[in-house]
DNA sequence: GTAAGTGCAAAGTGTTTGCATGGAA
DNA sequence: TTCCATGCAAACACTTTGCACTTAC
């Protein structure tokens, strides 16, 4: 069994919740994509594989995945929420191209360390940092 | 006339738009508050001063203010958009307390410089950085 | 006088919820 | 057999839009 699946199942059992095929299918789908997904894209991906779930279940399951730490829920400048799997040791930030919509991930310990230091100076206890850099990716230049 | 008002009026004239009392009142109100406002709070502040405008006009005017660079539109983890005035030389990021909802501003050239450098390495041309640090502010500790 | 702005209410959007039915434990 | 989960549709919260009337220019 995959690591994430174990975490999810343990979480469900510990909380008196049920392990359903819908929940496992959604977990699987989220972890099989590298991209950031919104609820609708996830729903569409499920349907294109004939793994039928309702939109409500998608939202409810994504919530659970966030609660047990397997997913992250964000807004990246769009109107809707996007979700991404959480992989330990793979924390990262985003560069978002305002022309193509493309999202690049990056991470840098120097930035994170400095932010942590600033928090300490202000007496703020950080849970997590969300950095979104908006601008133009290389491939967008031609399209302007 | 205040700097922001001049910018706004110039922008309107240049674009064949009209300078209305509603638009000026809203600009004034936004620039008279230090906080981040959502459309409804702004509407409420206007009403409490008997400066009557409709909700639609609030949204439409905030849009204009964003377009002419006098306001910034963001999501800070909440469901709705918040707006803040843009004051030159006062760019900043946010620390958001997940318990009290309190928002602190901060700015640090070291972080910004490092981010700019990272962008350059990736061939990304940044327009702006949005950093949201979520966590607990000092006054939230007692409430847990 | 004319084009643009306003307020209102209706329509949109993305997300959440109530309820009857279905399914895991 | 007992709750919990699901699917559906209705409800929601916030934002945008169409339209008749008003106002800046």
């Amino acid at each position: 069994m995959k690591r994430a699946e174990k975490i999810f199942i343990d979480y469900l059992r510990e909380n008196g919740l049920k392990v359903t095929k819908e929940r496992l299918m959604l977990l699987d789908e989220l972890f099989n994509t590298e991209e950031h997904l919104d609820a609708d894209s996830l729903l569409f991906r499920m349907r294109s594989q004939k793994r039928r779930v309702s939109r409500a279940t998608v939202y409810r399951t994504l919530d659970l995945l966030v609660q047990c730490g397997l997913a992250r829920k964000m807004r990246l400048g769009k109107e809707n929420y996007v979700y991404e799997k959480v992989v330990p040791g793979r924390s990262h930030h985003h560069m978002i191209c305002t022309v193509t919509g493309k999202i690049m991930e990056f991470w840098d310990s120097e930035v994170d360390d400095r932010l942590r230091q600033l928090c300490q100076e202000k007496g703020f206890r950080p849970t997590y940092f969300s950095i979104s850099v908006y601008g133009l990716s290389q491939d967008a230049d031609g399209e302007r």
Side-chain angles (χ1 to χ4, degrees), chain A:
Chain A
M1 197 196 302
K2 292 164 201 155
R3 180 197 67 90
E5 199 170 294
K6 174 162 175 26
I7 293 174
F8 195 29
I9 291 178
D10 287 352
Y11 174 83
L12 293 173
R13 296 232 164 100
E14 276 164 26
N15 290 278
L17 304 174
K18 290 173 180 169
V19 178
T20 65
K21 62 179 187 312
E22 287 84 355
R23 287 174 176 173
L24 294 180
M25 288 189 314
L26 285 163
L27 170 73
D28 184 60
E29 192 58 40
L30 180 70
F31 272 74
N32 270 326
T33 135
E34 287 305 320
E35 297 152 44
H36 305 79
L37 287 173
D38 58 24
D40 245 44
S41 314
L42 180 49
L43 186 65
F44 182 80
R45 290 176 73 109
M46 298 297 287
R47 288 201 175 145
S48 70
Q49 300 180 243
K50 302 270 189 299
R51 304 165 108 184
R52 194 156 289 279
V53 287
S54 71
R55 177 173 277 104
T57 297
V58 169
Y59 279 106
R60 288 188 277 229
T61 303
L62 283 170
D63 252 14
L64 289 174
L65 290 169
V66 170
Q67 279 165 42
C68 69
L70 286 169
R72 192 173 157 202
K73 180 182 184 180
M74 304 164 293
R75 305 201 100 128
L76 295 178
K78 310 270 286 312
E79 322 72 53
N80 48 2
Y81 287 108
V82 292
Y83 298 82
E84 66 180 19
K85 63 182 171 190
V86 170
V87 180
R90 284 270 226 116
S91 78
H92 59 268
H93 302 301
H94 299 99
M95 293 182 184
I96 301 142
C97 178
T98 49
V99 173
T100 64
K102 189 180 147 190
I103 298 173
M104 287 163 62
E105 298 180 354
F106 73 95
W107 192 74
D108 181 66
S109 59
E110 199 176 302
V111 169
D112 273 45
D113 288 348
R114 179 64 182 152
L115 286 174
R116 240 181 295 278
Q117 189 185 337
L118 289 167
C119 286
Q120 198 174 4
E121 286 167 14
K122 302 231 179 222
F124 190 85
R125 296 225 307 276
T127 312
Y128 71 95
F129 308 126
S130 166
I131 304 181
S132 301
V133 179
Y134 294 89
L136 303 176
S137 61
Q138 246 160 355
D139 33 321
D141 287 351
E143 302 182 24
R144 299 203 78 206

